[in-house]
Amino acid sequence: MENVHKCTSVLSPLIAEAKTSAIPLAENAINEMVAVTPAPQQRDALESVRSVVKAHGDAAGPGSQCDFADAVNDYIEKLMRALI
């Protein structure tokens, strides 16, 4: 899934920097991925991104990177609820 890889390649450095001001950039990357992903595959794509973001947050441990990853995953959850 090229779209997922493109999205996670944007999210990874944002999580590493963990600047609150970058959350809109992360949301934009996710929105762009959803926009180019066919509707039947959007849930799977979001779940794939969520697992990558969770892995980054877990690897970072407590702190700003984990908090940033949690904020991104909260946004992904919101999008997934809207797909139902």
Side-chain angles (χ1 to χ4, degrees), residues 33-77:
M33 182 206 62
V34 170
V36 298
T37 302
Q41 298 170 356
Q42 289 176 351
R43 179 171 289 283
D44 289 340
L46 286 168
E47 287 179 3
S48 294
V49 172
R50 182 175 60 180
S51 68
V52 170
V53 171
K54 183 176 179 342
H56 279 288
D58 290 348
S64 59
Q65 289 179 345
C66 184
D67 294 343
F68 189 94
D70 286 345
V72 172
N73 273 331
D74 289 346
Y75 184 71
I76 292 170
E77 289 292 327

Side-chain angles (χ1 to χ4, degrees), residues 1-46:
M1 296 177 96
E2 182 180 329
N3 298 333
V4 170
H5 177 70
K6 183 177 178 182
C7 181
T8 57
S9 69
V10 170
L11 294 176
S12 294
L14 294 176
I15 294 169
E17 291 178 16
K19 294 181 181 176
T20 306
S21 61
I23 288 176
L25 296 173
E27 292 175 353
N28 188 49
I30 295 165
N31 291 339
E32 287 179 10
M33 182 206 62
V34 170
V36 298
T37 302
Q41 298 170 356
Q42 289 176 351
R43 179 171 289 283
D44 289 340
L46 286 168

